[in-house]
Amino acid sequence: MRSGQPLTGTNGRRCKEDEKLINATLRVGKRGYIIDTRSLNVAQQARAKGGGFEQEAHYPQWRRIHKSIE
């Protein structure tokens, strides 16, 4: 699956529909990975511009990994 950058920003907005959709793709007890193709530093800087990344607490079956690509 692929998605665009979320618009969480500094106020920590959430998209509960996205959370339900992503969490529903795994069976109970299974784990998945969200691969952010930006470095952690770049992803954190995006937060100041209204972007960023979701909080892992809202995606309990998923682990976020930052693997920057050119």
Side-chain angles (χ1 to χ4, degrees):
M1 295 186 291
R2 181 190 182 281
S3 68
Q5 178 175 313
L7 299 176
T8 57
T10 55
N11 63 4
R13 288 179 289 188
R14 295 172 59 185
C15 180
K16 292 184 181 186
E17 292 83 4
D18 180 65
E19 293 170 17
K20 287 180 185 177
L21 178 65
I22 295 298
N23 288 324
T25 62
L26 291 177
R27 290 188 301 248
V28 175
K30 297 294 181 180
R31 306 250 330 141
Y33 295 93
I34 297 172
I35 301 171
D36 191 323
T37 58
R38 304 168 292 175
S39 69
L40 178 58
N41 188 37
V42 170
Q44 289 174 332
Q45 289 175 359
R47 200 167 266 199
K49 297 177 183 175
F53 49 86
E54 297 91 343
Q55 297 299 313
E56 287 182 344
H58 304 302
Y59 298 86
Q61 292 177 256
W62 296 85
R63 180 173 170 228
R64 185 180 60 249
I65 299 173
H66 290 272
K67 295 284 185 184
S68 83
I69 59 174
E70 295 182 19

